[in-house]
Amino acid sequence: MSINKIAKKLVAHGKGIMAADRPPAAFEQLLESEGIPVDEDAYRNWSQLLFTAPKLNEYVSGIIMTPEQTQLRNDAGESLIAGVVDQGMIPGISPFKGMVALAGSDGETVGSGLDGLRERLAGFAAMGVGFTKWRAAFQIGPGTPSYYAIEANAYVMAQVAALSQEAGLVPIVEPEVMLLGDHTIERCFAVTEWVLSRTFEALYVHRVDLEGSLVKASMVLSGNECLQQADVDTVAEQTVKAFKRQIPAAIPGIVFLSGGQSDYHATAHLNAMNANYELPWKLSFSYARALQREPMAIWENRRENVPAAQAALYHRAKMNGLASLGLWTEELEGEAVAQKA
Ligand code: 13P
């Protein structure tokens, strides 16, 4: 399939992406912090729960996974990634090896994992992977993000995007402006515009085919510690305004990260943008927490809770699928309340 076709399939009508690419060590830390027991099968069991949830393919077009997850097998000993393909969903890979300190900066970061990436991507493509995701994280603070961090990350994201396309994979370019902090929505708007403008400049320099790329973006939000929280309509308005200024219409779709927003807000914001604006690109989701928070709380690493956790995952995927069409309503939220066994 051409990269343009893959990109369009990932943002097909009413569908979005599930980001399941939490690395094993971070996954175990999360379980510990939530008071959920950790054992040696937890990562496989959780990945199986996510990748085999019944009917998830109605609302999920692709799943972002870790290199470790591409090697996992289900209870019957069959490859999990093959099961994802059999359900008509596209497997994606996060080839990233973690954030490292950006030398000479004041605590800013850049993603690592460029060494040997060309060969690794060819290996993932041979496994049936259709796309990549690479994240940059920008913290708003006094003097940050810096020009240096924005340029350095834009160039790394663009290199990864170019290498992905060389391997026949759609790059999802993820410049995340983080929610943490007491900044106003106006500051987030200004930083988001700046980051997007430099990111697209770098994609141009690296000869990246925009028709075969997707952007994974953060919404324009008030910082989580800002005393004045912008309402849903303002978030939708400011986010669409920043994107229309800085994201070319040649991009087939923009998929949001949830970034620490509540499940409700991640869905309500997405819905407001799609319900109220004429948009030149598809606007959908690529959520991790806003899809998996509730299922994980239900699961508790207990096999008997898997069906209820999968039902909760399906429900959130459905709500966000509807929001990608501007068809979500608060009343629909009450539809399915999953019960633990
Ligand atoms: P959240 O939706 O939890 O922000 O994660 C999305 C993601 O994949 C970040 O890279």
Side-chain angles (χ1 to χ4, degrees):
M1 218 189 301
S2 74
I3 50 174
N4 177 245
K5 281 218 170 100
I6 298 172
K8 283 187 172 161
K9 207 172 164 209
L10 286 168
V11 288
H13 190 76
K15 292 189 182 184
I17 295 170
M18 174 168 69
D21 56 317
R22 197 181 285 274
F27 171 77
E28 290 190 4
Q29 270 175 11
L30 176 66
L31 291 195
E32 276 163 17
S33 71
E34 297 290 324
I36 300 174
V38 181
D39 57 53
E40 60 180 23
D41 293 326
Y43 194 64
R44 190 202 72 93
N45 290 343
W46 175 247
S47 302
Q48 173 171 271
L49 181 161
L50 295 178
F51 295 6
T52 65
K55 302 189 292 172
L56 195 66
N57 57 4
E58 290 175 7
Y59 300 104
V60 169
S61 55
I63 300 180
I64 310 174
M65 48 187 87
T66 59
E68 289 83 355
Q69 286 169 321
T70 65
Q71 302 304 311
L72 296 178
R73 297 186 168 271
N74 66 14
D75 292 341
E78 298 150 354
S79 147
L80 279 182
I81 189 173
V84 167
V85 174
D86 286 348
Q87 296 172 77
M89 294 185 283
I90 304 174
I93 193 79
S94 172
F96 167 84
K97 294 194 170 174
M99 288 293 178
V100 295
L102 189 59
S105 79
D106 188 10
E108 296 186 282
T109 58
V110 66
S112 67
L114 286 179
D115 283 357
L117 188 57
R118 172 174 275 128
E119 294 71 24
R120 290 173 66 219
L121 291 179
F124 292 126
M127 286 178 202
V129 164
F131 67 103
T132 64
K133 180 202 82 171
W134 190 278
R135 174 171 172 258
F138 301 104
Q139 176 65 52
I140 299 181
T144 67
S146 65
Y147 175 81
Y148 167 37
I150 292 174
E151 291 293 308
N153 276 281
Y155 266 63
V156 171
M157 285 189 286
Q159 273 190 56
V160 174
L163 283 165
S164 299
Q165 293 191 334
E166 188 185 275
L169 304 174
V170 168
I172 299 189
V173 179
E174 184 184 9
E176 175 176 0
V177 177
M178 297 211 284
L179 179 65
L180 299 176
D182 62 3
H183 53 270
T184 61
I185 189 168
E186 289 79 13
R187 179 94 200 280
C188 183
F189 179 89
V191 170
T192 301
E193 253 211 291
W194 187 19
V195 163
L196 288 173
S197 111
R198 303 320 297 164
T199 301
F200 278 93
E201 159 82 10
L203 294 177
Y204 177 74
V205 170
H206 287 74
R207 304 174 181 180
V208 172
D209 176 359
L210 296 187
E211 288 79 2
S213 308
L214 296 176
V215 180
K216 179 158 173 166
S218 41
M219 297 183 190
V220 175
L221 299 162
S222 318
N224 66 340
E225 289 171 7
C226 179
L227 294 178
Q228 199 123 34
Q229 289 290 315
D231 62 17
V232 171
D233 288 339
T234 306
V235 169
E237 181 199 26
Q238 293 300 304
T239 304
V240 168
K241 185 173 175 185
F243 289 4
K244 282 193 170 172
R245 285 186 178 181
Q246 300 301 340
I247 302 185
I251 289 281
I254 303 164
V255 288
F256 286 108
L257 56 99
S258 55
Q261 296 181 67
S262 67
D263 295 356
Y264 171 85
H265 282 105
T267 305
H269 289 146
L270 176 62
N271 188 68
M273 292 178 219
N274 282 303
N276 301 326
Y277 294 90
E278 282 291 319
L279 304 169
W281 357 252
K282 287 286 186 67
L283 209 50
S284 191
F285 62 93
S286 173
Y287 295 154
R289 281 166 286 180
L291 287 175
Q292 295 156 39
R293 186 183 278 122
E294 177 72 13
M296 181 170 276
I298 293 171
W299 175 55
E300 291 178 328
N301 194 7
R302 290 169 53 177
R303 186 173 284 267
E304 61 272 29
N305 290 334
V306 167
Q310 289 179 323
L313 175 64
Y314 173 78
H315 179 67
R316 286 261 52 83
K318 180 175 177 179
M319 294 300 102
N320 288 303
L322 291 172
S324 77
L325 302 173
L327 297 175
W328 170 84
T329 61
E330 264 186 71
E331 292 68 49
L332 291 169
E333 286 293 342
E335 200 181 65
V337 180
Q339 298 292 327
K340 287 183 202 175

